[in-house]
Amino acid sequence: MWIVGITGGIGAGKSFLSKSFVSMGVPVHSSDKCIHFLLGHDNEIQKRIKAQWPQAFIKGKIDRKVLGDLVLSSSSDLKLLEEILYPKLLKSQKEFLKRNQAQGRKIVALDIPLLFEVGLNRYCHFVVLASTPLFLRKKRVLQRKGMNLKKFRVFDGEQMKDHQKRQK
């Protein structure tokens, strides 16, 4: 089974590429969608987040905007949130790969914004890089609900630059 990695900076068009693969019948595992699911439905993750950032809970549920504001103000908090989420994200990705291999799929895709940064490119046979000029990425991202320039800069700063990704 061939594994295609889809990566790129925030607002670069990874979701568009993922939808294109899906339209061609290629199953895609989206890291962003998985993280959103875990935040909304995984009791263990919710308990750990509540213990660390109780103010992120509004009416008994995680408010992703509030959580984002809290963790993006501190690199150690962001790292802690990643330590809480990433093990279950990796487990979900592995289950996706096993399931699709058992079904005899010839090709699958993993949509992972930090593909190179976390070393998951080593599992991919090919990597597709969504690349868009910074001004356009910023314009797209700032139109998202709950997004602001500070958050954009933090997310963009966590990601390897396109020219570095192209070299890989």
Coordinates of all heavy atoms in Angstrom, one line a residue, residues 78-157:
L78 N 1.8 24.8 25.0 CA 1.6 24.2 23.7 C 2.2 22.8 23.7 O 1.6 21.9 23.2 CB 2.1 25.1 22.6 CG 1.9 24.6 21.2 CD1 0.4 24.4 20.9 CD2 2.5 25.6 20.2
K79 N 3.4 22.7 24.2 CA 4.1 21.4 24.2 C 3.3 20.4 25.0 O 3.2 19.2 24.7 CB 5.5 21.6 24.7 CG 6.4 20.4 24.7 CD 7.0 20.2 23.4 CE 8.0 19.1 23.5 NZ 8.1 18.3 22.3
L80 N 2.8 20.8 26.2 CA 2.0 20.0 27.0 C 0.8 19.5 26.4 O 0.4 18.3 26.4 CB 1.7 20.7 28.4 CG 0.9 19.9 29.4 CD1 1.5 18.6 29.7 CD2 0.6 20.7 30.6
L81 N 0.1 20.4 25.7 CA -1.1 20.0 24.9 C -0.8 19.0 23.9 O -1.5 18.0 23.7 CB -1.8 21.2 24.3 CG -3.1 20.9 23.6 CD1 -4.2 20.3 24.5 CD2 -3.7 22.2 22.9
E82 N 0.3 19.2 23.2 CA 0.7 18.2 22.1 C 1.0 16.9 22.8 O 0.7 15.8 22.2 CB 2.0 18.7 21.4 CG 1.6 19.9 20.5 CD 2.9 20.6 19.9 OE1 4.0 20.3 20.3 OE2 2.7 21.4 19.0
E83 N 1.6 16.9 24.0 CA 1.9 15.6 24.6 C 0.7 14.9 25.1 O 0.6 13.7 25.1 CB 2.8 15.9 25.9 CG 4.2 16.2 25.5 CD 5.0 16.7 26.7 OE1 4.5 16.7 27.9 OE2 6.2 17.2 26.5
I84 N -0.4 15.6 25.3 CA -1.7 15.0 25.7 C -2.4 14.4 24.4 O -2.9 13.3 24.5 CB -2.6 16.1 26.3 CG1 -2.0 16.5 27.7 CG2 -4.0 15.6 26.4 CD1 -2.7 17.7 28.4
L85 N -2.3 15.2 23.3 CA -3.1 14.8 22.1 C -2.3 13.8 21.2 O -2.9 12.9 20.6 CB -3.4 16.1 21.3 CG -4.4 17.0 22.0 CD1 -4.5 18.3 21.3 CD2 -5.8 16.4 22.1
Y86 N -1.1 14.0 21.0 CA -0.3 13.3 19.9 C -0.3 11.8 20.1 O -0.4 11.1 19.0 CB 1.1 13.9 19.8 CG 1.1 15.2 19.0 CD1 0.0 15.9 18.7 CD2 2.3 15.7 18.6 CE1 0.0 17.1 18.0 CE2 2.4 17.0 17.9 CZ 1.2 17.6 17.6 OH 1.3 18.8 16.9
P87 N -0.2 11.2 21.3 CA -0.2 9.7 21.3 C -1.5 9.2 20.7 O -1.5 8.2 20.0 CB -0.1 9.4 22.8 CG 0.7 10.6 23.3 CD 0.1 11.8 22.6
K88 N -2.7 9.8 21.0 CA -3.9 9.2 20.5 C -4.1 9.6 19.0 O -4.7 8.8 18.3 CB -5.1 9.8 21.3 CG -5.1 9.2 22.7 CD -6.5 9.1 23.3 CE -6.4 8.3 24.6 NZ -7.7 8.2 25.2
L89 N -3.5 10.7 18.6 CA -3.5 11.0 17.1 C -2.7 9.9 16.4 O -3.1 9.4 15.4 CB -2.9 12.4 16.9 CG -2.7 12.8 15.4 CD1 -4.0 12.8 14.6 CD2 -2.0 14.1 15.4
L90 N -1.5 9.6 16.9 CA -0.7 8.6 16.3 C -1.4 7.2 16.2 O -1.3 6.5 15.2 CB 0.7 8.5 17.0 CG 1.6 9.7 16.8 CD1 2.8 9.5 17.7 CD2 2.0 9.8 15.3
K91 N -2.1 6.9 17.3 CA -2.8 5.6 17.4 C -3.9 5.6 16.3 O -4.1 4.6 15.6 CB -3.4 5.5 18.8 CG -4.2 4.2 18.9 CD -4.8 4.0 20.3 CE -5.6 2.7 20.4 NZ -6.4 2.7 21.6
S92 N -4.6 6.7 16.2 CA -5.6 6.8 15.1 C -5.1 6.6 13.7 O -5.7 6.0 12.9 CB -6.4 8.1 15.3 OG -7.3 8.3 14.2
Q93 N -3.9 7.3 13.5 CA -3.3 7.1 12.2 C -2.9 5.7 11.9 O -3.1 5.2 10.8 CB -2.1 8.1 12.1 CG -2.4 9.5 12.0 CD -1.2 10.4 12.3 OE1 -0.2 10.0 12.8 NE2 -1.4 11.7 11.9
K94 N -2.3 5.0 12.9 CA -1.9 3.6 12.7 C -3.1 2.7 12.5 O -3.0 1.9 11.6 CB -1.1 3.1 14.0 CG 0.3 3.7 14.1 CD 1.0 3.2 15.3 CE 2.3 3.9 15.4 NZ 3.0 3.5 16.6
E95 N -4.2 3.0 13.2 CA -5.4 2.2 13.0 C -6.0 2.4 11.6 O -6.4 1.5 10.9 CB -6.5 2.5 14.0 CG -6.1 2.0 15.4 CD -7.0 2.5 16.5 OE1 -7.9 3.4 16.2 OE2 -6.8 2.1 17.7
F96 N -5.9 3.6 11.1 CA -6.3 4.0 9.7 C -5.5 3.2 8.7 O -6.1 2.6 7.8 CB -6.2 5.5 9.5 CG -6.3 6.0 8.1 CD1 -7.6 6.2 7.6 CD2 -5.2 6.2 7.3 CE1 -7.7 6.7 6.3 CE2 -5.3 6.6 6.0 CZ -6.6 6.9 5.5
L97 N -4.2 3.2 8.9 CA -3.3 2.5 8.0 C -3.6 1.0 8.0 O -3.7 0.3 6.9 CB -1.9 2.8 8.3 CG -1.4 4.2 8.0 CD1 0.0 4.4 8.5 CD2 -1.5 4.6 6.5
K98 N -3.7 0.4 9.2 CA -4.0 -1.0 9.3 C -5.3 -1.4 8.7 O -5.4 -2.4 7.9 CB -4.0 -1.5 10.8 CG -2.6 -1.5 11.4 CD -2.7 -2.0 12.8 CE -1.3 -1.9 13.5 NZ -1.4 -2.3 14.9
R99 N -6.3 -0.6 8.9 CA -7.7 -0.9 8.4 C -7.7 -0.9 6.9 O -8.2 -1.7 6.2 CB -8.7 0.1 9.0 CG -10.1 -0.1 8.6 CD -11.1 0.9 9.3 NE -10.8 2.3 9.1 CZ -10.2 3.1 10.0 NH1 -9.9 2.7 11.2 NH2 -10.0 4.4 9.7
N100 N -7.0 0.2 6.3 CA -7.0 0.3 4.9 C -6.1 -0.8 4.2 O -6.4 -1.2 3.1 CB -6.6 1.7 4.5 CG -7.8 2.7 4.6 OD1 -8.7 2.7 3.8 ND2 -7.8 3.4 5.7
Q101 N -5.1 -1.2 4.9 CA -4.2 -2.2 4.3 C -5.0 -3.5 4.3 O -5.0 -4.3 3.4 CB -3.0 -2.4 5.1 CG -2.0 -3.3 4.5 CD -0.6 -3.2 5.1 OE1 -0.5 -2.9 6.3 NE2 0.4 -3.5 4.4
A102 N -5.8 -3.8 5.4 CA -6.6 -5.0 5.5 C -7.7 -5.0 4.4 O -8.1 -6.1 3.9 CB -7.2 -5.1 6.9
Q103 N -8.1 -3.9 4.0 CA -9.2 -3.8 3.0 C -8.6 -3.8 1.6 O -9.3 -3.8 0.6 CB -9.9 -2.4 3.1 CG -10.8 -2.4 4.4 CD -11.4 -1.0 4.6 OE1 -11.2 -0.1 3.9 NE2 -12.2 -0.9 5.7
G104 N -7.2 -3.9 1.5 CA -6.6 -4.0 0.2 C -6.5 -2.7 -0.6 O -6.3 -2.8 -1.8
R105 N -6.5 -1.6 0.1 CA -6.3 -0.3 -0.6 C -4.9 -0.2 -1.2 O -4.0 -0.7 -0.6 CB -6.5 0.8 0.4 CG -7.9 0.9 1.1 CD -8.9 1.4 0.1 NE -10.1 1.6 0.9 CZ -11.2 2.2 0.4 NH1 -11.1 2.7 -0.8 NH2 -12.3 2.4 1.1
K106 N -4.9 0.3 -2.3 CA -3.6 0.5 -3.0 C -2.9 1.8 -2.6 O -1.7 1.9 -2.7 CB -3.8 0.4 -4.5 CG -4.3 -0.9 -5.0 CD -4.2 -1.0 -6.5 CE -4.8 -2.2 -7.1 NZ -4.3 -3.5 -6.5
I107 N -3.7 2.8 -2.2 CA -3.1 4.1 -1.8 C -4.0 4.7 -0.8 O -5.2 4.6 -0.8 CB -3.0 5.0 -3.1 CG1 -2.3 6.3 -2.7 CG2 -4.3 5.2 -3.7 CD1 -1.9 7.1 -4.0
V108 N -3.3 5.4 0.2 CA -4.0 6.2 1.2 C -3.2 7.5 1.4 O -2.0 7.6 1.0 CB -4.1 5.4 2.6 CG1 -5.0 4.2 2.4 CG2 -2.8 5.1 3.1
A109 N -3.8 8.4 2.1 CA -3.1 9.7 2.3 C -3.3 10.1 3.8 O -4.3 9.8 4.4 CB -3.6 10.8 1.4
L110 N -2.2 10.7 4.3 CA -2.2 11.2 5.6 C -2.0 12.7 5.5 O -1.0 13.2 5.1 CB -1.0 10.6 6.5 CG -1.0 9.1 6.7 CD1 0.3 8.7 7.3 CD2 -2.2 8.7 7.5
D111 N -3.0 13.5 6.0 CA -3.0 14.9 6.0 C -2.4 15.4 7.3 O -3.1 15.3 8.4 CB -4.4 15.5 5.8 CG -4.5 17.0 5.8 OD1 -3.5 17.7 6.3 OD2 -5.5 17.6 5.3
I112 N -1.1 15.8 7.3 CA -0.4 16.1 8.6 C 0.3 17.4 8.4 O 1.4 17.4 7.8 CB 0.6 14.9 9.0 CG1 -0.1 13.6 9.0 CG2 1.3 15.3 10.3 CD1 0.8 12.4 9.2
P113 N -0.2 18.5 9.1 CA 0.5 19.7 8.9 C 2.0 19.7 9.3 O 2.8 20.3 8.7 CB -0.3 20.7 9.8 CG -1.7 20.0 9.9 CD -1.4 18.5 9.8
L114 N 2.3 19.0 10.4 CA 3.7 18.9 10.9 C 4.3 17.6 10.5 O 5.1 17.0 11.3 CB 3.7 19.1 12.4 CG 3.1 20.4 13.0 CD1 3.0 20.4 14.5 CD2 3.9 21.6 12.5
L115 N 4.1 17.2 9.3 CA 4.6 15.9 8.8 C 6.1 15.8 9.0 O 6.6 14.8 9.6 CB 4.3 15.7 7.3 CG 4.7 14.4 6.7 CD1 3.8 13.3 7.1 CD2 4.7 14.6 5.1
F116 N 6.9 16.8 8.5 CA 8.3 16.7 8.6 C 8.8 17.0 10.0 O 9.8 16.4 10.5 CB 9.0 17.7 7.6 CG 8.9 17.3 6.2 CD1 8.0 18.0 5.4 CD2 9.5 16.2 5.7 CE1 7.9 17.6 4.0 CE2 9.4 15.8 4.4 CZ 8.6 16.5 3.5
E117 N 8.1 18.0 10.7 CA 8.5 18.4 12.0 C 8.5 17.3 13.0 O 9.3 17.2 14.0 CB 7.6 19.6 12.5 CG 7.8 20.9 11.7 CD 7.0 20.9 10.4 OE1 6.5 19.9 9.9 OE2 6.8 22.0 9.9
V118 N 7.5 16.3 12.9 CA 7.4 15.2 13.8 C 8.0 13.9 13.3 O 7.9 12.9 13.9 CB 6.0 15.0 14.3 CG1 5.5 16.2 15.1 CG2 5.0 14.7 13.2
G119 N 8.5 14.0 12.1 CA 9.2 12.8 11.5 C 8.3 11.8 10.9 O 8.8 10.7 10.5
L120 N 7.1 12.1 10.6 CA 6.2 11.1 10.0 C 6.4 10.9 8.5 O 5.8 9.9 8.0 CB 4.7 11.4 10.4 CG 4.4 11.2 11.9 CD1 3.0 11.7 12.1 CD2 4.6 9.8 12.3
N121 N 7.2 11.7 7.9 CA 7.5 11.6 6.5 C 8.2 10.3 6.2 O 8.1 9.7 5.1 CB 8.3 12.8 6.0 CG 9.6 12.9 6.8 OD1 9.5 13.2 8.0 ND2 10.7 12.9 6.1
R122 N 8.8 9.7 7.2 CA 9.6 8.4 7.0 C 8.7 7.3 6.7 O 9.1 6.3 6.2 CB 10.5 8.2 8.2 CG 9.8 7.8 9.5 CD 10.8 7.5 10.6 NE 10.2 7.3 11.9 CZ 9.9 8.2 12.8 NH1 10.2 9.4 12.6 NH2 9.3 7.9 13.9
Y123 N 7.4 7.4 7.0 CA 6.4 6.4 6.7 C 5.8 6.5 5.3 O 5.0 5.7 4.8 CB 5.3 6.3 7.7 CG 5.8 6.0 9.1 CD1 5.8 6.9 10.1 CD2 6.3 4.7 9.4 CE1 6.3 6.6 11.4 CE2 6.8 4.4 10.6 CZ 6.8 5.4 11.6 OH 7.3 5.1 12.9
C124 N 6.0 7.7 4.7 CA 5.4 8.0 3.4 C 6.2 7.7 2.2 O 7.4 7.9 2.2 CB 5.0 9.5 3.4 SG 4.0 10.0 4.7
H125 N 5.6 7.1 1.2 CA 6.2 6.8 -0.1 C 6.4 8.1 -0.9 O 7.4 8.2 -1.7 CB 5.5 5.8 -0.9 CG 5.4 4.5 -0.1 ND1 4.3 4.1 0.7 CD2 6.3 3.5 -0.1 CE1 4.5 2.9 1.2 NE2 5.7 2.5 0.8
F126 N 5.4 9.0 -0.8 CA 5.4 10.3 -1.5 C 4.9 11.3 -0.5 O 4.2 11.1 0.4 CB 4.5 10.3 -2.7 CG 4.9 9.2 -3.8 CD1 4.3 8.0 -3.8 CD2 5.8 9.5 -4.7 CE1 4.6 7.1 -4.7 CE2 6.2 8.6 -5.7 CZ 5.6 7.4 -5.7
V127 N 5.3 12.6 -0.8 CA 4.8 13.7 0.0 C 4.4 14.8 -1.0 O 5.1 15.1 -2.0 CB 5.9 14.3 0.9 CG1 5.4 15.6 1.6 CG2 6.4 13.3 2.0
V128 N 3.2 15.3 -0.7 CA 2.6 16.4 -1.5 C 2.6 17.6 -0.6 O 2.1 17.6 0.5 CB 1.2 16.1 -2.0 CG1 0.6 17.3 -2.8 CG2 1.2 14.8 -2.9
L129 N 3.2 18.7 -1.1 CA 3.3 19.9 -0.3 C 2.4 21.0 -0.9 O 2.5 21.3 -2.1 CB 4.8 20.5 -0.4 CG 5.0 21.9 0.2 CD1 4.7 21.9 1.7 CD2 6.4 22.3 -0.1
A130 N 1.4 21.4 0.0 CA 0.6 22.5 -0.4 C 1.4 23.8 -0.1 O 1.8 24.0 1.0 CB -0.7 22.5 0.4
S131 N 1.6 24.6 -1.1 CA 2.4 25.8 -1.0 C 1.6 27.0 -1.5 O 1.2 27.0 -2.6 CB 3.7 25.6 -1.7 OG 4.5 26.7 -1.5
T132 N 1.5 28.0 -0.7 CA 0.8 29.2 -1.0 C 1.5 30.4 -0.5 O 2.1 30.3 0.6 CB -0.7 29.2 -0.4 OG1 -1.3 28.0 -0.9 CG2 -1.5 30.3 -0.8
P133 N 1.6 31.5 -1.2 CA 2.3 32.7 -0.6 C 1.8 33.1 0.8 O 0.6 33.0 1.0 CB 2.0 33.8 -1.6 CG 1.7 33.1 -2.9 CD 1.0 31.8 -2.5
L134 N 2.7 33.6 1.6 CA 2.3 34.0 3.0 C 1.1 34.9 3.0 O 0.2 34.8 3.9 CB 3.5 34.6 3.7 CG 3.3 35.0 5.1 CD1 3.0 33.9 6.0 CD2 4.6 35.8 5.6
F135 N 1.1 36.0 2.2 CA 0.0 36.9 2.2 C -1.3 36.3 2.0 O -2.3 36.6 2.7 CB 0.2 38.1 1.2 CG -0.2 37.8 -0.2 CD1 -1.4 38.0 -0.6 CD2 0.8 37.2 -1.0 CE1 -1.8 37.7 -1.9 CE2 0.4 36.9 -2.4 CZ -0.9 37.2 -2.8
L136 N -1.4 35.3 1.1 CA -2.7 34.6 0.9 C -3.0 33.7 2.0 O -4.2 33.6 2.4 CB -2.6 33.9 -0.5 CG -3.9 33.2 -1.0 CD1 -5.0 34.2 -1.0 CD2 -3.6 32.6 -2.4
R137 N -2.1 33.0 2.5 CA -2.3 32.1 3.7 C -2.9 32.9 4.9 O -3.8 32.5 5.5 CB -1.1 31.3 4.1 CG -0.6 30.3 3.1 CD 0.5 29.4 3.5 NE 1.7 30.0 4.0 CZ 2.1 30.0 5.3 NH1 1.4 29.4 6.2 NH2 3.2 30.6 5.7
K138 N -2.2 34.0 5.1 CA -2.7 34.9 6.2 C -4.1 35.4 6.0 O -4.9 35.3 6.9 CB -1.7 36.1 6.4 CG -2.0 36.9 7.6 CD -1.1 38.1 7.9 CE 0.0 38.4 7.1 NZ 0.8 39.6 7.5
K139 N -4.4 35.8 4.8 CA -5.7 36.3 4.4 C -6.8 35.1 4.7 O -7.8 35.4 5.3 CB -5.8 36.7 3.0 CG -7.1 37.2 2.5 CD -7.1 37.7 1.1 CE -8.5 38.1 0.6 NZ -8.5 38.4 -0.8
R140 N -6.5 33.9 4.2 CA -7.4 32.8 4.4 C -7.6 32.5 5.9 O -8.7 32.3 6.3 CB -6.8 31.5 3.7 CG -6.8 31.6 2.2 CD -6.1 30.3 1.7 NE -6.1 30.2 0.3 CZ -5.5 29.3 -0.4 NH1 -4.7 28.4 0.2 NH2 -5.5 29.3 -1.7
V141 N -6.5 32.4 6.6 CA -6.6 32.0 8.0 C -7.3 33.0 8.9 O -8.1 32.7 9.7 CB -5.2 31.7 8.5 CG1 -5.2 31.4 10.0 CG2 -4.6 30.5 7.8
L142 N -7.1 34.3 8.6 CA -7.7 35.3 9.4 C -9.2 35.4 9.2 O -9.9 36.0 10.0 CB -7.0 36.7 9.2 CG -5.6 36.8 9.7 CD1 -5.0 38.1 9.3 CD2 -5.5 36.5 11.2
Q143 N -9.7 34.7 8.1 CA -11.2 34.7 7.9 C -11.8 33.6 8.8 O -13.0 33.5 8.9 CB -11.5 34.4 6.4 CG -11.1 35.6 5.6 CD -11.2 35.3 4.1 OE1 -11.5 34.2 3.7 NE2 -11.1 36.4 3.3
R144 N -11.0 32.7 9.4 CA -11.6 31.6 10.2 C -12.1 32.1 11.5 O -11.5 33.0 12.1 CB -10.5 30.5 10.4 CG -10.0 29.9 9.2 CD -8.9 28.9 9.6 NE -8.3 28.3 8.4 CZ -7.2 27.5 8.4 NH1 -6.7 27.1 9.5 NH2 -6.8 27.0 7.2
K145 N -13.1 31.5 12.0 CA -13.7 31.9 13.2 C -12.7 31.6 14.4 O -12.1 30.6 14.4 CB -15.0 31.0 13.5 CG -15.7 31.4 14.8 CD -16.9 30.5 14.9 CE -17.6 30.8 16.2 NZ -18.7 29.9 16.5
G146 N -12.6 32.6 15.2 CA -11.7 32.5 16.4 C -10.2 32.7 16.1 O -9.4 32.6 17.0
M147 N -9.9 33.0 14.9 CA -8.5 33.2 14.5 C -8.1 34.7 14.6 O -8.9 35.5 14.3 CB -8.2 32.6 13.1 CG -6.8 32.6 12.7 SD -5.6 31.8 13.8 CE -6.0 30.1 13.5
N148 N -6.9 34.9 15.0 CA -6.4 36.3 15.0 C -4.9 36.3 14.5 O -4.3 35.2 14.3 CB -6.5 37.0 16.3 CG -5.8 36.2 17.4 OD1 -4.7 35.8 17.3 ND2 -6.5 36.0 18.6
L149 N -4.3 37.4 14.3 CA -3.0 37.5 13.8 C -1.9 36.8 14.7 O -1.0 36.2 14.3 CB -2.6 39.0 13.6 CG -1.3 39.2 12.8 CD1 -1.2 38.5 11.5 CD2 -1.0 40.7 12.6
K150 N -2.1 37.0 16.0 CA -1.2 36.4 17.0 C -1.2 34.9 16.9 O -0.2 34.2 16.8 CB -1.6 36.8 18.4 CG -0.7 36.2 19.5 CD -1.1 36.6 20.9 CE -0.3 35.9 21.9 NZ -0.8 36.2 23.3
K151 N -2.4 34.3 16.8 CA -2.5 32.8 16.6 C -1.9 32.4 15.3 O -1.2 31.4 15.3 CB -4.0 32.4 16.7 CG -4.6 32.3 18.0 CD -6.0 31.8 17.9 CE -6.7 31.8 19.2 NZ -8.1 31.3 19.2
F152 N -2.2 33.1 14.3 CA -1.6 32.8 13.0 C -0.1 32.7 13.1 O 0.5 31.8 12.6 CB -2.0 33.8 11.9 CG -1.3 33.6 10.6 CD1 -1.7 32.5 9.7 CD2 -0.3 34.4 10.2 CE1 -1.0 32.3 8.5 CE2 0.4 34.2 9.0 CZ 0.0 33.2 8.2
R153 N 0.5 33.7 13.7 CA 2.0 33.8 13.8 C 2.5 32.6 14.6 O 3.6 32.1 14.3 CB 2.4 35.1 14.4 CG 2.2 36.3 13.4 CD 2.7 37.6 14.0 NE 2.6 38.6 13.0 CZ 2.3 39.9 13.3 NH1 2.0 40.2 14.5 NH2 2.2 40.8 12.3
V154 N 1.8 32.3 15.7 CA 2.3 31.1 16.5 C 2.2 29.8 15.6 O 3.2 29.1 15.6 CB 1.4 31.0 17.8 CG1 1.8 29.7 18.5 CG2 1.7 32.2 18.7
F155 N 1.1 29.6 15.0 CA 1.0 28.4 14.2 C 2.0 28.4 13.1 O 2.6 27.4 12.8 CB -0.4 28.2 13.6 CG -1.5 27.8 14.6 CD1 -2.6 28.5 14.8 CD2 -1.3 26.6 15.3 CE1 -3.6 28.1 15.7 CE2 -2.3 26.2 16.2 CZ -3.4 26.9 16.4
D156 N 2.1 29.5 12.4 CA 3.1 29.6 11.3 C 4.5 29.4 11.8 O 5.3 28.7 11.1 CB 2.9 30.9 10.6 CG 3.7 30.9 9.3 OD1 3.5 30.1 8.4 OD2 4.6 31.9 9.1
G157 N 4.8 29.9 13.0 CA 6.1 29.8 13.5 C 6.5 28.4 14.0 O 7.7 28.0 14.0

